[in-house]
Amino acid sequence: MKFVEEVVVEEFLPTVRSMLAADLRERGFTQREVAEALGISQSAVSKYAHGEVATSDAISADGRVRDLVERVGAGLATGDMSRVQALVEIEVLIRQLEDGDLLAERHREAMPDLREHGGDFDVHDPESTVRTTEEVRSSVRRGLRILRNTSGFAALVPNVGSNLVECLPEAADVEDVAAVPGRIFDVRGTATVPSDPEFGVSEHVASVLLSARTAGAPVRGALNLRYAPDLIEGLRAAGYPTVEFTVETDGSGDKTGDDPATRPGVVEAVRAATPDAPFVLYQTGGFGIEPITYVLGADAPVVARIVRDYCRE
Protein backbone atom coordinates (compact mmCIF):
# COMPACT_ATOMS: atom_id res chain seq x y z
CA MET A 1 0.00 0.00 0.00
CA LYS A 2 1.42 3.32 -1.06
CA PHE A 3 -0.04 6.75 -0.28
CA VAL A 4 -0.14 9.60 -2.76
CA GLU A 5 1.76 11.65 -0.18
CA GLU A 6 4.66 9.20 -0.60
CA VAL A 7 4.67 9.95 -4.31
CA VAL A 8 4.89 13.64 -3.45
CA VAL A 9 7.77 13.09 -1.02
CA GLU A 10 9.69 10.52 -3.05
CA GLU A 11 9.19 11.88 -6.57
CA PHE A 12 7.71 15.38 -6.76
CA LEU A 13 9.68 17.19 -4.06
CA PRO A 14 13.15 15.87 -5.01
CA THR A 15 12.45 16.69 -8.66
CA VAL A 16 11.21 20.22 -8.00
CA ARG A 17 13.96 20.98 -5.50
CA SER A 18 16.58 19.72 -7.95
CA MET A 19 15.10 21.87 -10.71
CA LEU A 20 14.89 24.92 -8.43
CA ALA A 21 18.43 24.43 -7.20
CA ALA A 22 19.69 24.33 -10.80
CA ASP A 23 17.55 27.35 -11.73
CA LEU A 24 18.85 29.45 -8.83
CA ARG A 25 22.45 28.49 -9.48
CA GLU A 26 22.01 29.66 -13.08
CA ARG A 27 20.71 32.96 -11.69
CA GLY A 28 23.94 33.43 -9.76
CA PHE A 29 23.03 32.05 -6.34
CA THR A 30 25.80 30.48 -4.31
CA GLN A 31 25.37 27.01 -2.87
CA ARG A 32 24.72 28.57 0.55
CA GLU A 33 22.10 30.98 -0.87
CA VAL A 34 20.35 28.14 -2.68
CA ALA A 35 20.25 26.17 0.58
CA GLU A 36 18.77 29.14 2.46
CA ALA A 37 16.19 29.83 -0.25
CA LEU A 38 15.00 26.22 -0.35
CA GLY A 39 15.35 25.53 3.37
CA ILE A 40 17.68 22.60 2.88
CA SER A 41 21.31 21.87 3.76
CA GLN A 42 24.26 22.81 1.55
CA SER A 43 25.16 19.13 1.32
CA ALA A 44 21.67 18.46 -0.09
CA VAL A 45 22.22 21.21 -2.68
CA SER A 46 25.51 19.56 -3.60
CA LYS A 47 23.79 16.20 -4.06
CA TYR A 48 21.17 17.81 -6.32
CA ALA A 49 23.94 19.48 -8.36
CA HIS A 50 25.83 16.21 -8.82
CA GLY A 51 22.74 14.16 -9.70
CA GLU A 52 22.94 12.06 -6.56
CA VAL A 53 19.21 12.43 -5.83
CA ALA A 54 16.69 10.37 -7.81
CA THR A 55 14.24 12.52 -9.77
CA SER A 56 11.26 11.81 -12.01
CA ASP A 57 11.49 12.45 -15.74
CA ALA A 58 7.69 12.47 -16.00
CA ILE A 59 7.44 15.27 -13.43
CA SER A 60 10.39 17.32 -14.71
CA ALA A 61 9.00 17.18 -18.26
CA ASP A 62 5.57 18.50 -17.26
CA GLY A 63 5.04 22.02 -18.58
CA ARG A 64 3.26 23.18 -15.44
CA VAL A 65 6.14 22.04 -13.25
CA ARG A 66 8.65 23.78 -15.51
CA ASP A 67 6.57 26.98 -15.47
CA LEU A 68 6.35 26.81 -11.67
CA VAL A 69 10.10 26.41 -11.30
CA GLU A 70 10.71 29.35 -13.65
CA ARG A 71 8.20 31.54 -11.80
CA VAL A 72 9.40 30.63 -8.31
CA GLY A 73 13.08 30.86 -9.28
CA ALA A 74 12.59 34.32 -10.76
CA GLY A 75 10.56 35.47 -7.76
CA LEU A 76 13.12 34.27 -5.23
CA ALA A 77 15.98 35.74 -7.24
CA THR A 78 14.43 39.21 -7.48
CA GLY A 79 12.95 39.18 -4.01
CA ASP A 80 9.44 39.65 -5.45
CA MET A 81 8.38 36.31 -3.99
CA SER A 82 8.84 35.32 -0.36
CA ARG A 83 9.65 31.79 0.74
CA VAL A 84 6.12 31.53 2.13
CA GLN A 85 4.60 32.50 -1.21
CA ALA A 86 6.91 30.06 -2.99
CA LEU A 87 5.74 27.32 -0.64
CA VAL A 88 2.09 28.17 -1.29
CA GLU A 89 2.62 28.16 -5.07
CA ILE A 90 4.20 24.72 -4.92
CA GLU A 91 1.49 23.37 -2.59
CA VAL A 92 -1.23 24.63 -4.95
CA LEU A 93 0.33 22.77 -7.86
CA ILE A 94 0.70 19.63 -5.75
CA ARG A 95 -3.03 19.67 -4.92
CA GLN A 96 -3.84 20.23 -8.59
CA LEU A 97 -1.66 17.36 -9.77
CA GLU A 98 -3.07 15.01 -7.10
CA ASP A 99 -6.64 15.55 -8.29
CA GLY A 100 -6.93 13.08 -11.17
CA ASP A 101 -3.78 14.48 -12.77
CA LEU A 102 -0.04 13.75 -13.01
CA LEU A 103 0.52 12.74 -9.37
CA ALA A 104 -2.70 10.75 -9.34
CA GLU A 105 -1.43 8.83 -12.37
CA ARG A 106 1.93 8.22 -10.70
CA HIS A 107 -0.03 6.99 -7.66
CA ARG A 108 -2.08 4.59 -9.78
CA GLU A 109 1.13 3.20 -11.25
CA ALA A 110 2.31 2.47 -7.71
CA MET A 111 -1.14 1.19 -6.65
CA PRO A 112 -2.66 -0.61 -9.67
CA ASP A 113 -5.80 -1.48 -7.67
CA LEU A 114 -6.83 2.19 -7.91
CA ARG A 115 -7.25 1.89 -11.68
CA GLU A 116 -10.59 0.11 -11.34
CA HIS A 117 -12.03 3.34 -9.95
CA GLY A 118 -11.02 5.41 -12.97
CA GLY A 119 -9.25 8.74 -12.88
CA ASP A 120 -12.02 11.08 -11.78
CA PHE A 121 -11.59 11.04 -8.01
CA ASP A 122 -9.58 12.71 -5.26
CA VAL A 123 -8.14 10.44 -2.57
CA HIS A 124 -8.25 13.36 -0.14
CA ASP A 125 -11.99 13.93 -0.62
CA PRO A 126 -14.00 12.30 2.22
CA GLU A 127 -17.01 12.18 -0.11
CA SER A 128 -15.10 10.67 -3.04
CA THR A 129 -16.59 7.76 -4.97
CA VAL A 130 -13.57 5.57 -4.32
CA ARG A 131 -13.95 5.98 -0.56
CA THR A 132 -17.66 5.22 -0.66
CA THR A 133 -17.31 2.15 -2.88
CA GLU A 134 -14.48 0.77 -0.78
CA GLU A 135 -16.52 1.31 2.39
CA VAL A 136 -19.38 -0.70 0.86
CA ARG A 137 -17.05 -3.53 -0.20
CA SER A 138 -15.55 -3.54 3.29
CA SER A 139 -19.05 -3.75 4.78
CA VAL A 140 -19.87 -6.76 2.61
CA ARG A 141 -16.63 -8.42 3.72
CA ARG A 142 -17.61 -7.93 7.37
CA GLY A 143 -20.97 -9.51 6.67
CA LEU A 144 -19.36 -12.45 4.89
CA ARG A 145 -17.04 -13.00 7.85
CA ILE A 146 -20.07 -13.26 10.12
CA LEU A 147 -21.73 -15.77 7.80
CA ARG A 148 -18.59 -17.90 7.48
CA ASN A 149 -18.46 -18.16 11.27
CA THR A 150 -22.15 -18.99 11.60
CA SER A 151 -22.79 -22.66 12.20
CA GLY A 152 -25.86 -23.71 10.26
CA PHE A 153 -25.71 -21.01 7.59
CA ALA A 154 -24.65 -23.45 4.88
CA ALA A 155 -27.91 -25.37 5.38
CA LEU A 156 -29.84 -22.21 4.54
CA VAL A 157 -28.16 -21.73 1.14
CA PRO A 158 -30.68 -22.37 -1.68
CA ASN A 159 -29.98 -24.44 -4.78
CA VAL A 160 -29.28 -21.29 -6.81
CA GLY A 161 -26.74 -20.18 -4.22
CA SER A 162 -26.82 -17.27 -1.79
CA ASN A 163 -25.44 -13.80 -2.19
CA LEU A 164 -24.83 -11.08 0.34
CA VAL A 165 -25.15 -7.64 -1.21
CA GLU A 166 -24.94 -3.97 -0.23
CA CYS A 167 -25.59 -0.95 -2.41
CA LEU A 168 -24.21 2.57 -2.58
CA PRO A 169 -26.25 5.26 -0.80
CA GLU A 170 -27.70 6.58 -4.07
CA ALA A 171 -27.84 3.29 -5.96
CA ALA A 172 -29.61 3.39 -9.31
CA ASP A 173 -28.89 -0.01 -10.86
CA VAL A 174 -27.08 -3.30 -10.30
CA GLU A 175 -23.73 -1.67 -11.08
CA ASP A 176 -24.14 0.21 -7.78
CA VAL A 177 -24.48 -3.01 -5.75
CA ALA A 178 -21.51 -4.94 -4.34
CA ALA A 179 -21.85 -8.71 -4.10
CA VAL A 180 -19.92 -11.98 -4.31
CA PRO A 181 -19.01 -13.01 -7.88
CA GLY A 182 -20.32 -16.49 -8.52
CA ARG A 183 -22.51 -16.52 -5.35
CA ILE A 184 -22.09 -18.46 -2.10
CA PHE A 185 -22.67 -22.23 -2.24
CA ASP A 186 -22.98 -25.06 0.25
CA VAL A 187 -20.00 -27.32 -0.38
CA ARG A 188 -20.23 -30.39 1.85
CA GLY A 189 -21.78 -28.46 4.68
CA THR A 190 -19.51 -25.40 4.38
CA ALA A 191 -20.56 -22.04 3.00
CA THR A 192 -17.99 -21.31 0.29
CA VAL A 193 -17.29 -17.73 -0.80
CA PRO A 194 -15.43 -17.92 -4.14
CA SER A 195 -13.96 -14.42 -4.32
CA ASP A 196 -13.83 -10.85 -3.00
CA PRO A 197 -16.92 -8.60 -3.34
CA GLU A 198 -17.27 -6.65 -6.57
CA PHE A 199 -19.80 -4.23 -7.99
CA GLY A 200 -22.26 -5.24 -10.70
CA VAL A 201 -21.96 -9.02 -10.28
CA SER A 202 -25.40 -9.79 -8.82
CA GLU A 203 -28.58 -9.31 -10.78
CA HIS A 204 -30.75 -11.63 -8.70
CA VAL A 205 -30.41 -10.39 -5.11
CA ALA A 206 -29.41 -6.88 -6.23
CA SER A 207 -32.66 -6.49 -8.16
CA VAL A 208 -34.71 -7.49 -5.12
CA LEU A 209 -32.83 -4.97 -2.96
CA LEU A 210 -33.22 -2.18 -5.54
CA SER A 211 -36.92 -2.95 -5.98
CA ALA A 212 -37.48 -2.77 -2.21
CA ARG A 213 -35.70 0.60 -2.19
CA THR A 214 -37.87 1.74 -5.10
CA ALA A 215 -40.86 0.92 -2.91
CA GLY A 216 -39.47 3.20 -0.19
CA ALA A 217 -37.77 0.69 2.12
CA PRO A 218 -34.74 2.22 3.92
CA VAL A 219 -32.45 -0.74 3.24
CA ARG A 220 -29.04 -1.17 1.63
CA GLY A 221 -28.19 -4.78 2.44
CA ALA A 222 -29.80 -8.09 1.45
CA LEU A 223 -29.20 -11.83 1.56
CA ASN A 224 -31.14 -14.67 -0.06
CA LEU A 225 -31.82 -17.96 1.73
CA ARG A 226 -33.78 -21.10 1.00
CA TYR A 227 -37.51 -20.88 1.60
CA ALA A 228 -39.14 -22.95 4.31
CA PRO A 229 -42.26 -22.20 6.37
CA ASP A 230 -40.36 -22.81 9.62
CA LEU A 231 -37.68 -20.30 8.56
CA ILE A 232 -40.29 -17.62 7.86
CA GLU A 233 -42.05 -18.37 11.13
CA GLY A 234 -38.80 -18.27 13.07
CA LEU A 235 -37.80 -14.89 11.64
CA ARG A 236 -41.31 -13.56 12.27
CA ALA A 237 -41.17 -14.80 15.85
CA ALA A 238 -37.84 -12.98 16.24
CA GLY A 239 -39.67 -9.73 15.51
CA TYR A 240 -38.95 -9.18 11.83
CA PRO A 241 -41.87 -8.23 9.56
CA THR A 242 -42.43 -10.81 6.82
CA VAL A 243 -43.81 -9.91 3.41
CA GLU A 244 -44.79 -12.35 0.70
CA PHE A 245 -44.54 -11.36 -2.94
CA THR A 246 -45.44 -13.14 -6.15
CA VAL A 247 -43.07 -13.83 -9.01
CA GLU A 248 -44.51 -12.62 -12.29
CA THR A 249 -43.57 -14.85 -15.19
CA ASP A 250 -44.16 -14.96 -18.91
CA GLY A 251 -44.98 -18.66 -18.82
CA SER A 252 -41.41 -19.84 -19.31
CA GLY A 253 -40.24 -19.04 -15.81
CA ASP A 254 -38.69 -15.68 -16.64
CA LYS A 255 -39.76 -12.60 -14.70
CA THR A 256 -41.54 -9.93 -16.70
CA GLY A 257 -40.40 -6.36 -17.13
CA ASP A 258 -37.77 -4.78 -19.35
CA ASP A 259 -35.62 -3.43 -16.52
CA PRO A 260 -33.54 -6.22 -14.91
CA ALA A 261 -33.23 -4.11 -11.76
CA THR A 262 -37.01 -3.95 -11.27
CA ARG A 263 -39.19 -6.72 -9.85
CA PRO A 264 -42.80 -5.54 -9.97
CA GLY A 265 -43.97 -8.12 -7.45
CA VAL A 266 -41.42 -6.90 -4.88
CA VAL A 267 -42.26 -3.24 -5.42
CA GLU A 268 -46.00 -3.83 -5.05
CA ALA A 269 -45.69 -6.05 -1.97
CA VAL A 270 -43.33 -3.73 -0.10
CA ARG A 271 -45.38 -0.65 -0.93
CA ALA A 272 -48.51 -2.34 0.35
CA ALA A 273 -46.91 -3.65 3.56
CA THR A 274 -44.60 -0.69 4.35
CA PRO A 275 -42.58 -2.92 6.73
CA ASP A 276 -40.13 -1.51 9.24
CA ALA A 277 -36.52 -2.39 8.47
CA PRO A 278 -35.02 -4.90 8.81
CA PHE A 279 -37.63 -7.19 7.29
CA VAL A 280 -38.07 -10.46 5.40
CA LEU A 281 -39.35 -10.97 1.87
CA TYR A 282 -40.25 -14.34 0.47
CA GLN A 283 -41.84 -16.00 -2.52
CA THR A 284 -43.06 -19.58 -2.62
CA GLY A 285 -41.93 -20.34 -6.14
CA GLY A 286 -43.44 -20.62 -9.57
CA PHE A 287 -43.02 -22.47 -12.84
CA GLY A 288 -39.29 -23.27 -12.95
CA ILE A 289 -38.57 -20.85 -10.10
CA GLU A 290 -37.13 -21.95 -6.76
CA PRO A 291 -38.87 -20.49 -3.69
CA ILE A 292 -36.58 -18.05 -1.92
CA THR A 293 -36.38 -15.99 1.28
CA TYR A 294 -34.68 -12.59 1.41
CA VAL A 295 -33.49 -10.79 4.53
CA LEU A 296 -33.13 -7.03 4.06
CA GLY A 297 -31.58 -4.50 6.42
CA ALA A 298 -29.53 -1.36 6.82
CA ASP A 299 -26.34 -2.98 5.54
CA ALA A 300 -24.67 -6.33 4.93
CA PRO A 301 -23.44 -6.92 8.52
CA VAL A 302 -26.92 -6.24 9.93
CA VAL A 303 -28.41 -8.83 7.58
CA ALA A 304 -25.67 -11.35 8.40
CA ARG A 305 -26.23 -10.92 12.15
CA ILE A 306 -29.95 -11.61 11.72
CA VAL A 307 -29.12 -14.94 10.09
CA ARG A 308 -26.48 -15.69 12.73
CA ASP A 309 -28.97 -15.06 15.54
CA TYR A 310 -31.59 -17.22 13.84
CA CYS A 311 -29.10 -20.10 13.54
CA ARG A 312 -28.28 -19.82 17.25
CA GLU A 313 -31.90 -20.29 18.28
Side-chain angles (χ1 to χ4, degrees), residues 130-141:
V130 63
R131 186 183 191 195
T132 304
T133 56
E134 289 305 310
E135 284 176 343
V136 169
R137 292 176 66 185
S138 177
S139 183
V140 175
R141 292 187 193 104

Side-chain angles (χ1 to χ4, degrees), residues 175-245:
E175 295 299 321
D176 298 324
V177 183
V180 177
R183 304 181 186 176
I184 306 165
F185 285 97
D186 173 10
V187 179
R188 297 179 180 179
T190 300
T192 302
V193 180
S195 56
D196 203 44
E198 296 179 13
F199 280 86
V201 296
S202 169
E203 179 182 322
H204 178 70
V205 184
S207 65
V208 171
L209 173 62
L210 292 170
S211 296
R213 287 169 56 83
T214 296
V219 291
R220 288 179 52 195
L223 171 69
N224 66 319
L225 306 169
R226 67 172 175 81
Y227 167 78
D230 60 335
L231 172 61
I232 301 301
E233 182 56 38
L235 291 170
R236 185 185 297 122
Y240 303 110
T242 59
V243 179
E244 182 178 5
F245 70 96

Side-chain angles (χ1 to χ4, degrees), residues 235-268:
L235 291 170
R236 185 185 297 122
Y240 303 110
T242 59
V243 179
E244 182 178 5
F245 70 96
T246 58
V247 180
E248 300 181 21
T249 68
D250 58 10
S252 65
D254 295 329
K255 68 179 187 300
T256 59
D258 296 330
D259 184 357
T262 300
R263 292 177 177 260
V266 172
V267 175
E268 293 171 6

